[in-house]
Amino acid sequence: MTIDTTHLNQQMTHFDGHQEIWLFGYGSLIWKADFPYLERRPAHIRGWVRRFWQGSYDHRGTPESPGRVATLVREPGATCHGMAYRITPETLGPLDVREKNGYLRVVTELHFDDAHGDVSQASQDRKASESAEGLVYLATEDNAAFLGDAPHEAIARQIAEACGASGPNRDYLLNLAASLEQLGHHDEHIVSLASHLTDEAS
Ligand code: SIN
């Protein structure tokens, strides 16, 4: 359950030689950007949904009382909104450590939200920056910390009870819910879990 993916990620060579890399964040990377970045832009990726299906045995829980954090699950036609960061390759080292509990770097096409509808700047240059190839940290169902689906009441209860080295699990969910709302996105899975979590507290 606590497989460390740091080493696997550091073997990835896809962006070798690149001076800058786009990273797509959909969970804590949206609201806890405690790493250096050159630029950030709201963005989305296609074909994925955000789910609290990944166990957290380090940041938001313990081996005795694991928390639950976000990962992505394939869903054709779906869109997952988040935040894209333009980073230098050196930033990946600390991020690999942060995401070590089951997450692997995966190459993805990301689409910038602020590129759409901007008719006044519809230049070729602007069009070229509507999307980019980048990275996303993904915890797939074959990783040892994957917990999978459960009734929302049960997920919320687990989140209410868990706490890890980075703090209470509830903060992860509520900060994510607040950030998505601020970005203007309704993610039904997150809204439902946050509402059950609030019920847990009352
Ligand atoms: C992400 O936010 O993109 C990855 C999962 C996490 O760190 O919460």
Side-chain angles (χ1 to χ4, degrees):
M1 54 179 153
T2 52
I3 185 172
D4 186 337
T5 49
T6 312
H7 184 61
L8 288 173
N9 280 323
Q10 289 178 356
Q11 287 174 343
M12 187 189 189
T13 55
H14 190 83
F15 288 103
D16 277 6
H18 288 228
Q19 305 300 309
E20 297 172 356
I21 300 164
W22 280 103
L23 169 71
F24 179 77
Y26 56 88
S28 70
L29 291 178
I30 296 183
W31 56 269
K32 194 177 179 192
D34 60 356
F35 51 88
Y37 56 86
L38 305 166
E39 176 188 8
R40 75 171 158 186
R41 296 172 69 182
H44 61 274
I45 59 175
R46 295 179 183 149
W48 297 95
V49 287
R50 182 176 11 240
R51 292 288 179 262
F52 267 71
W53 290 5
Q54 175 69 358
S56 178
Y57 298 83
D58 53 358
H59 289 296
R60 299 286 163 179
T62 61
E64 296 73 40
S65 176
R68 275 183 178 257
V69 289
T71 186
L72 297 177
V73 178
R74 273 255 175 244
E75 191 174 297
T79 296
C80 177
H81 288 276
M83 188 63 77
Y85 299 89
R86 191 159 56 84
I87 59 171
T88 60
E90 298 74 51
T91 303
L92 287 173
L95 282 171
D96 287 344
V97 174
R98 170 172 165 169
E99 303 297 324
K100 68 182 189 318
N101 194 197
Y103 292 86
L104 290 173
R105 290 188 215 160
V106 172
V107 177
T108 185
E109 183 76 2
L110 52 96
H111 306 270
F112 301 110
D113 295 343
D114 56 7
H116 294 294
D118 192 354
V119 188
S120 61
Q121 295 185 54
S123 66
Q124 285 306 315
D125 283 358
R126 186 73 181 164
K127 277 186 184 155
S129 71
E130 282 184 2
S131 64
E133 191 180 56
L135 284 177
V136 61
Y137 282 94
L138 194 64
T140 54
E141 62 189 46
D142 56 1
N143 88 85
F146 191 80
L147 295 176
D149 199 6
H152 282 191
E153 293 81 355
I155 294 182
R157 201 172 318 119
Q158 184 174 353
I159 291 173
E161 286 165 4
C163 186
S166 297
N169 200 178
R170 60 179 293 116
D171 290 357
Y172 181 112
L173 172 58
L174 296 180
N175 284 331
L176 180 56
S179 299
L180 289 172
E181 198 182 323
Q182 235 169 31
L183 286 167
H185 300 303
H186 181 93
D187 182 325
E188 187 51 38
H189 180 76
I190 304 300
V191 171
S192 164
L193 289 179
S195 141
H196 280 104
L197 185 67
T198 312
D199 291 349
E200 279 290 322
S202 56

